[in-house]
Amino acid sequence: MFDYSDINRDIVQALRRDQAFQFKHRGKYLQEGRCPECGRRSVWISVDKPILVRCNHRNSCGYEEPVRVIYPELFENLSQRYPATPEDPNATARAYMDHVRHFPAIKVGDWFEQAARPLPGGGYAPVVRFHLWDGCYWDRVINKADEHALGDKAFFKKGFRYAGKAWQPPGQRIEKGDTVFIVEGIFHAIALSLCGYKVLAAFSSNNLPTEVIERCKDREITWRLGYDDDPAGRSMMAKYYDQLQHQGERVEVALTGSGKDWDDLYRLDKLNDDFIEECLYRGRLFTARTIGEKAYHWYCKHRRSYTVLEFGNRLYSVHVGEELSKDLCEAIEDLNQADIEDSEKEKLAVKTIDEALATERGRELFARNLTTNSISNCLPKFLYCEIDKESKEVSYFFDIALPKGREVQVAFSGAHLESPKSFNKALLNQAPGSTFDGTENQLKMLRDRWFDGGVKQVETIGFLGYDKQCQVYVYQDFAYHNGRKLKRNRQGYFTAGKHRIKTSFKSFHLHHNDEFNPDWIGDYYQVFSRLGMVALAFWLGSLFAEQIRAELKVFPFLELTGEHGAGKSTVIEFLWKLCGRDDYEGFDPSKATFAARTRAFSQLSNLPVVLIESDRQTDKAKKGAFDFEELKTAYNGRAIRSTGAFNRGNDTVEPPFRGTIVIAQNDTVDGSPALLSRIVHCHATKAHFSEKTKRLAQRFERATVEEVSGFLPAALRREKAIIAKILEVYPELDTEYAHRGEIHDQRVVKTHAMVSAMVAALPLLFPAISPEQVKDLQHYVYTRAVNRQGRLSADHPEVQKFWDIYDYLNVRLVDDPEAPAIYGPGGKVEAQTLNHSKDPALIAINLIHYKQQCEQAKVDHPDINALKKLLPNSRRHKFLRQGNVKSAIEEGRTRHCWIFENSDAKRGDL
């Protein structure tokens, strides 16, 4: 027997650290934890045997969850914690069976052995192996990581056929008159066997062990069909029930009714005679041929006169007349007075009303006193309650089953469930042809049935990507948690530990491919050069932006510029394909409304928001116009926009920014030093282009999202390794960049060091990238940091050109007969031709006048509309305001000017 004190210690430490529970340690228990279902401080678990977290309120809540579901990472690699040795070759398998499955090794230790299966990439995966017959076996993979590598968790020996056969616990003997369960899996069978029941494992719901049943034909065996309680299992149990009855066999159906398998129930310590009787009762309801027969079984258990029952995908009201008890009492007297020859068995057995009800006469009397009416032509099955994490709105999700077997999933509001009229209207609107004609009392009975056993709550997010609270990447049809892919259940949500979550976002869909081939990286590097590689590294880092911001508090912006045809659009579209989005580059914020931009910045988490070429004609003064300065708060993951909440109060909505920013346009962004220091700028050129790169580029243009979208799952599977690499390398690069002495702005150092750290993580996905290439790319990022430092000290190139032209044109020699010769030959004097200000400390320029003077002098001037965006950030002469100025050039006229502080006057150059 293993000593599990180390893994138990890890479990207890995880529970004590878990802020969702907030346990208090009291003696041998962790107590007063917050229940994730009912919210009360009523959850507890044993410290010595930390197996199951439970809520004290069993009737009103009933929350129970195994620790192996809450913290699967503690059980994912048992082969490292309990490795097999020559002295103990079954060590890992026994640890798995004993601690994960909780099957005592002292009872099942010789039923299995440890074996290994070869992994596709080399090495072996440890498995628990059960030997069957004819040299065949069944393997169960132990480590979770190996399940993904092998593509499944269980395997039979190749070529094995089990039709008509079954596995049974070694040493089990089926005697005359026995009751034998037939279940699907070996672990299900072990669980029932350990609780004292005889059992067969059929391996699949599609298999009935006819060979065993035939051998036991004359032993009066009662066969209990206990396949999985899911649609497939129920369908096959109904078929086998009819088949065995037709063959003259005694047969019952046992339905767990809880969504859990027999081994799950074993670990919850629920497999006892009372629970089995509940399973058989559910089985009798399931196999009833008529609504009357179903009502009979219900009445035998509950002994109430009125209820609502489902049958044949309809709802029926069931009423049992008050005369039934009187009729049964009379039946008892009649049966006991009958001749033994007529009814010997019934005479000897019937003493109570319950016994009388079980007789044929009792069934006839029940049918005579029974009244049933259809109140709905469909069957609403309550699934879960959906709560929007931001708005807190609640929706109730139902499967509506129609009489012919079709199902549709619908969402109802609380108002829809308030009255029969509103419920009927909601059905008509959302489930075509469905109606509800029941009374207020009947609807209340249904609501109590749906909700009194505890409401399963599912959180919804209104975006795609990473949810920081649950630590889950959520997309429409797949999700990842701690590097593991989560399967969406048939109800449309994902389960990660104690969290149930889904996304309500529908504007676009991300495709994914579980297979990732990184062989294209060499051609990609050749075609798109350093800019493409830095963009790829930034894209990779963006997939973990929330986690990185949690540690480093910020996440940089990336700016990609380049002349027309340099390939930046191809790069961005290909990077989107890597993440499953086809035929997309980005959106133009200057052409979007305020509301559209607000939503665009909130649609994605841990994915880039790409801002493509903005319209240079846009006037910042225009209401709702976009300004890059708005993005500064996104650097820290704070809200970019604030809107009023949709209520009558004073509340505002400020959603945090969860993604990253990529700016892609032909011209560089200009702005304040605070904005520019947040940006890593890369410029695309055609210097490396050739006929070969042109052909290779076409490959990336034609690449389909189905071919390359394995990048996203591959990165998410390596979540911890990639984040660890970035956080490990960043401090070294930050210190190195700062100590070189060429960069003085600490934010520029941090921003570029972070991108360099992302470059260092690329080889984790692309092993072909050499250390020398990583160093080269990091040097390139450093040169961009130096360039950015220089940019912070100087004006935008267009603004520099503006002031150079101003200096060239502003001062002219004009005729002045009274001027002394010192001012120039022929009585000329210097005069300003562009500066309308009479105050020597100011410069006032009318841009239309500026343009006219340039054209007269035949000087190529900057675009005036572009200047309107750039001049407010002028550094050479600080911009003050726009306004009307009495012109010093045109006496008596007033001009609308852009007014700057004359830095030359401050230096004493005048």
Side-chain angles (χ1 to χ4, degrees):
M1 195 69 165
F2 273 101
D3 176 11
Y4 290 114
S5 59
D6 57 340
I7 195 169
N8 285 348
R9 182 179 62 250
D10 292 347
I11 294 169
V12 171
Q13 288 177 354
L15 288 165
R16 294 183 66 178
R17 289 194 302 264
D18 197 328
Q19 290 302 305
F21 287 121
Q22 299 178 359
F23 279 113
K24 294 181 181 179
H25 194 165
R26 302 191 188 283
K28 295 183 177 181
Y29 298 94
L30 296 179
Q31 295 179 330
E32 298 183 31
R34 189 172 301 280
C35 179
E37 294 288 350
C38 66
R40 291 173 284 191
R41 300 197 68 91
S42 53
V43 169
W44 63 278
I45 189 172
S46 167
V47 172
D48 295 334
K49 294 181 67 177
I51 298 172
L52 189 68
V53 179
R54 304 176 191 243
C55 178
N56 277 327
H57 302 282
R58 285 185 170 269
N59 293 329
S60 61
C61 177
Y63 167 75
E64 294 178 332
E65 196 165 18
V67 292
R68 74 184 186 114
V69 174
I70 302 174
Y71 308 116
E73 63 275 9
L74 297 178
F75 303 90
E76 285 182 350
N77 207 335
L78 288 177
S79 59
Q80 289 185 2
R81 191 185 288 268
Y82 302 106
T85 63
E87 296 77 21
D88 191 357
N90 292 331
T92 308
R94 193 161 64 252
Y96 174 80
M97 293 291 285
D98 204 338
H99 196 71
V100 177
R101 294 290 172 175
H102 298 287
F103 296 146
I106 195 170
K107 295 184 178 181
V108 301
D110 59 348
W111 294 5
F112 64 89
E113 68 178 13
Q114 183 169 333
R117 296 191 70 86
L119 291 166
Y124 290 87
V127 299
V128 179
R129 175 165 292 176
F130 288 83
H131 287 280
L132 303 175
W133 50 83
D134 299 332
C136 294
Y137 53 79
W138 176 78
D139 289 345
R140 176 57 167 90
V141 180
I142 294 174
N143 294 328
K144 284 287 184 182
D146 296 335
E147 287 182 21
H148 176 77
L150 291 167
D152 205 345
K153 60 185 179 183
F155 299 87
F156 288 105
K157 183 179 180 181
K158 189 174 181 179
F160 173 64
R161 298 288 183 271
Y162 55 79
K165 301 178 183 296
W167 177 90
Q168 57 181 314
Q172 174 179 280
R173 294 173 60 87
I174 300 177
E175 307 287 352
K176 185 174 182 178
D178 277 347
T179 297
V180 181
F181 280 86
I182 302 175
V183 298
E184 290 190 27
I186 287 180
F187 291 154
H188 303 169
I190 292 175
L192 285 164
S193 176
L194 291 174
C195 293
Y197 302 100
K198 294 189 176 182
V199 63
L200 301 176
F203 304 112
S204 167
S205 63
N206 290 315
N207 181 43
L208 181 67
T210 51
E211 293 184 10
V212 181
I213 293 172
E214 187 63 28
R215 288 199 301 268
C216 300
K217 191 169 183 61
D218 299 325
R219 300 182 194 176
E220 300 179 358
I221 305 299
T222 299
W223 304 104
R224 282 182 178 169
L225 302 176
Y227 294 85
D228 292 353
D229 192 358
D230 55 25
R234 283 186 168 225
S235 173
M236 298 311 296
M237 280 189 282
K239 175 184 175 181
Y240 299 149
Y241 180 82
D242 291 342
Q243 178 179 330
L244 291 174
Q245 276 201 329
H246 182 72
Q247 294 172 1
E249 297 286 347
R250 301 178 182 179
V251 58
E252 299 173 329
V253 171
L255 300 177
T256 61
S258 59
K260 293 182 172 62
D261 296 326
W262 296 107
D263 54 326
D264 296 323
L265 295 163
Y266 167 81
R267 285 186 289 275
L268 295 173
D269 198 25
K270 288 188 174 181
L271 289 187
N272 52 46
D273 290 342
D274 290 339
F275 180 79
I276 296 298
E277 181 52 42
E278 282 292 322
C279 295
L280 294 172
Y281 164 69
R282 283 188 286 267
R284 290 192 291 272
L285 296 183
F286 172 68
T287 55
R289 308 287 185 179
T290 64
I291 181 60
E293 183 183 350
K294 189 168 189 176
Y296 170 77
H297 291 305
W298 176 86
Y299 184 80
C300 288
K301 179 175 176 61
H302 298 283
R303 299 300 299 274
R304 295 200 298 270
S305 62
Y306 189 75
T307 191
V308 173
L309 291 179
E310 63 185 69
F311 184 80
N313 284 348
R314 287 176 175 266
L315 290 175
Y316 290 85
S317 65
V318 173
H319 183 261
V320 181
E322 297 177 358
E323 298 295 319
L324 178 60
S325 296
K326 179 181 177 181
D327 291 347
L328 288 173
C329 289
E330 292 177 356
I332 293 173
E333 186 175 341
D334 292 344
L335 288 171
N336 286 329
Q337 289 176 356
D339 293 334
I340 291 179
E341 294 81 14
D342 297 336
S343 185
E344 181 177 359
K345 291 183 179 178
E346 289 189 352
K347 175 184 175 184
L348 297 175
V350 177
K351 297 179 181 178
T352 66
I353 289 180
D354 287 343
E355 292 169 347
L357 189 61
T359 65
E360 288 299 321
R361 179 75 180 278
R363 283 182 175 246
E364 293 174 3
L365 293 172
F366 177 83
R368 187 186 306 167
N369 286 273
L370 175 68
T371 303
T372 62
N373 289 300
S374 174
I375 62 173
S376 177
N377 68 346
C378 66
L379 175 60
K381 303 174 185 176
F382 176 63
L383 302 177
Y384 58 88
C385 177
E386 186 175 287
I387 303 175
D388 188 283
K389 292 187 71 170
E390 293 186 2
S391 68
K392 305 304 179 185
E393 293 181 0
V394 177
S395 300
Y396 298 86
F397 276 73
F398 286 79
D399 261 345
I400 308 299
L402 303 179
K404 292 188 177 180
R406 294 182 297 112
E407 286 192 356
V408 58
Q409 189 175 113
V410 300
F412 294 148
S413 67
H416 291 150
L417 306 177
E418 190 176 8
S419 68
K421 184 177 179 180
S422 59
F423 186 48
N424 181 57
K425 187 175 181 180
L427 283 172
L428 286 170
N429 288 335
Q430 298 190 53
S434 301
T435 60
F436 179 79
D437 302 313
T439 64
E440 186 81 37
N441 185 49
Q442 290 165 350
L443 180 60
K444 182 182 183 304
M445 292 179 71
L446 291 171
R447 283 200 306 263
D448 292 345
R449 194 175 301 169
W450 293 333
F451 303 149
D452 282 359
V455 175
K456 187 184 297 182
Q457 298 183 13
V458 177
E459 296 176 306
T460 65
I461 56 176
F463 55 87
L464 290 184
Y466 185 74
D467 181 74
K468 186 160 58 174
Q469 180 181 352
C470 300
Q471 299 180 348
V472 181
Y473 289 84
V474 185
Y475 306 95
Q476 286 98 341
D477 54 4
F478 70 104
Y480 274 83
H481 175 59
N482 288 335
R484 285 192 309 116
K485 184 177 181 180
L486 306 179
K487 291 184 179 179
R488 183 179 62 175
N489 64 19
R490 63 180 300 270
Q491 297 176 358
Y493 63 85
F494 304 95
T495 300
K498 53 185 172 291
H499 298 287
R500 303 183 190 96
I501 192 167
K502 65 185 288 191
T503 178
S504 58
F505 184 79
K506 299 177 181 177
S507 294
F508 57 85
H509 180 272
L510 293 187
H511 182 86
H512 76 289
N513 185 347
D514 289 330
E515 299 300 323
F516 176 59
N517 183 355
D519 293 346
W520 49 263
I521 190 64
D523 292 342
Y524 177 87
Y525 199 165
Q526 186 174 356
V527 173
F528 301 115
S529 191
R530 293 167 171 173
L531 175 139
M533 293 298 292
V534 171
L536 176 61
F538 185 87
W539 224 268
L540 177 63
S542 295
L543 300 180
F544 313 101
E546 287 281 68
Q547 298 94 312
I548 293 172
R549 263 196 292 256
E551 296 294 328
L552 304 181
K553 308 307 177 186
V554 301
F555 198 92
F557 303 161
L558 178 67
E559 181 184 5
L560 304 176
T561 62
E563 56 188 291
H564 177 72
K568 71 178 188 304
S569 295
T570 304
V571 169
I572 294 171
E573 290 183 12
F574 179 71
L575 293 176
W576 273 122
K577 290 177 184 178
L578 294 181
C579 294
R581 191 171 187 183
D582 201 6
D583 195 25
Y584 180 75
E585 182 180 0
F587 84 102
D588 187 341
S590 66
K591 295 179 180 177
T593 64
F594 176 89
R597 289 201 301 271
T598 300
R599 295 182 182 185
F601 285 120
S602 303
Q603 289 177 343
L604 299 172
S605 175
N606 279 10
L607 276 171
V609 176
V610 181
L611 310 178
I612 58 175
E613 189 72 49
S614 299
D615 185 0
R616 290 293 189 186
Q617 305 301 319
T618 300
D619 185 357
K620 287 184 183 180
K622 183 179 178 182
K623 183 179 179 182
F626 176 71
D627 186 350
F628 280 109
E629 297 290 339
E630 300 173 17
L631 300 178
K632 288 186 290 189
T633 52
Y635 184 68
N636 306 87
R638 302 189 185 116
I640 295 177
R641 299 280 188 171
S642 179
T643 58
F646 191 67
N647 58 34
R648 296 184 178 182
N650 295 322
D651 300 323
T652 58
V653 177
E654 297 183 356
F657 180 67
R658 306 179 182 89
T660 64
I661 297 292
V662 175
I663 304 165
Q665 53 187 28
N666 292 335
D667 297 311
T668 60
V669 172
D670 189 52
S672 66
L675 172 65
L676 296 181
S677 60
R678 288 164 161 81
I679 298 174
V680 174
H681 171 234
C682 298
H683 186 72
T685 70
K686 300 180 181 179
H688 64 289
F689 280 18
S690 66
E691 282 300 317
K692 182 179 180 180
T693 59
K694 180 180 179 180
R695 290 193 300 272
L696 291 174
Q698 292 173 350
R699 169 190 173 188
F700 293 100
E701 290 174 351
R702 292 193 299 264
T704 65
V705 70
E706 290 79 11
E707 292 171 343
V708 299
S709 59
F711 171 84
L712 176 61
L716 299 186
R717 287 195 294 268
R718 294 165 177 80
E719 174 187 353
K720 292 183 179 180
I722 293 172
I723 295 173
K725 185 66 174 179
I726 292 172
L727 296 180
E728 173 193 345
V729 174
Y730 163 73
E732 303 169 4
L733 293 168
D734 184 74
T735 302
E736 178 186 345
Y737 286 9
H739 286 176
R740 289 187 184 183
E742 295 180 90
I743 310 170
H744 310 296
D745 189 301
Q746 182 53 42
R747 186 182 287 147
V748 173
V749 170
K750 183 169 189 174
T751 298
H752 289 75
M754 288 178 71
V755 174
S756 280
M758 297 172 204
V759 170
L762 282 176
L764 294 176
L765 282 186
F766 302 96
I769 299 177
S770 66
E772 293 75 19
Q773 289 173 319
V774 171
K775 288 293 184 184
D776 177 67
L777 291 171
Q778 290 176 333
H779 175 71
Y780 170 73
V781 175
Y782 176 76
T783 63
R784 304 315 299 161
V786 174
N787 179 276
R788 179 59 35 150
Q789 180 65 62
R791 173 71 185 279
L792 289 174
S793 306
D795 276 320
H796 187 280
E798 292 293 288
V799 178
Q800 290 185 36
K801 183 177 180 180
F802 172 82
W803 288 120
D804 290 343
I805 293 173
Y806 169 82
D807 290 340
Y808 175 68
L809 294 180
N810 184 48
V811 179
R812 293 287 190 182
L813 291 176
V814 298
D815 293 330
D816 186 354
E818 299 181 1
I822 191 173
Y823 285 104
K828 292 185 178 292
V829 67
E830 290 184 350
Q832 298 190 88
T833 59
L834 293 176
N835 184 7
H836 291 266
S837 175
K838 294 180 179 180
D839 184 347
L842 300 176
I843 298 174
I845 301 174
N846 178 275
L847 294 182
I848 302 300
H849 180 228
Y850 172 87
K851 178 181 178 182
Q852 291 172 346
Q853 292 296 313
C854 290
E855 290 172 348
Q856 288 178 14
K858 297 182 179 180
V859 173
D860 183 23
H861 60 82
D863 180 77
I864 296 301
N865 289 305
L867 283 174
K868 290 180 180 180
K869 285 187 173 185
L870 300 174
L871 287 176
N873 298 308
S874 172
R875 293 172 180 78
R876 183 168 171 184
H877 300 287
K878 182 180 178 182
F879 172 73
L880 299 177
R881 64 186 181 279
Q882 295 183 53
N884 292 329
V885 174
K886 290 185 177 180
S887 176
I889 300 173
E890 302 169 297
E891 197 64 39
R893 296 195 64 176
T894 300
R895 291 287 192 181
H896 180 80
C897 296
W898 288 62
I899 304 170
F900 303 85
E901 186 180 86
N902 191 341
S903 59
D904 293 336
K906 292 179 66 176
R907 292 196 303 266
D909 293 346
L910 293 181

